[in-house]
Amino acid sequence: ERLASIKTPVIFEAKTIEKYGLNRIKYLWNFGDGNQERNKKVEHYYKNEGLYNVVLNAVSGINHAVARTIVHVKKPNIALEIKENGIELNNLDINELNVGLWKLKSEDQNIEFTFPLDTIIGPNTKITFDKELFIEEGDLWNYENQSVNLFFPTGDLATKTSAIINE
């Protein structure tokens, strides 16, 4: 079983055993949400929460194989707070959260930051990302007057906040 968040990429890849001399393998992925794709390696975004059965059919000549997995897709439960020393993300869920490729943007557009691939926040964990990630050298960190939005990789709004000072 795999865990994923809505509106974030889930990557699937078929593993083949080359020693059997199979070639020209045709792949058909069924993501369980009405969508399909036909490649060995695919990326899929789920729009809604749910438990999805993902089925892969692979065909080469008279050979046919089927594999399946379950993907549990959840809406993230995350809080965003601007602090004196940076921006804090709080994963309020009992599961880890991958915020890789998510974007932080301030409403005045002075801050724009994309989290590196596979940036994982543990369950019930707060992580503060240092202010130096968001400002140019020599600029002032104006955290008292900032409002920041967090966006899914799809560009949809995940959460937003105004400055909260509790240092």
Side-chain angles (χ1 to χ4, degrees), residues 104-115:
L104 280 172
K105 292 182 183 177
S106 62
E107 289 190 359
D108 62 10
Q109 300 301 311
N110 286 340
I111 295 174
E112 185 167 328
F113 177 77
T114 300
F115 289 99

Side-chain angles (χ1 to χ4, degrees), residues 6 21 59 116 138 145:
I6 61 169
V59 178
N145 298 313

Side-chain angles (χ1 to χ4, degrees), residues 2 6 17 19 22 32 42 45-46 48 61 70 72 75 84 92 94-95 112-113 115 137 145 149 153 157:
R2 294 179 65 179
I6 61 169
I17 301 172
K19 71 179 182 179
L22 299 177
V42 296
Y45 293 79
Y46 287 94
N48 300 300
I70 295 172
H72 186 187
K75 182 178 180 184
E84 184 176 359
L92 303 168
I94 60 170
N95 298 297
E112 185 167 328
F113 177 77
F115 289 99
E137 189 174 332
N145 298 313
N149 298 326
L157 182 66

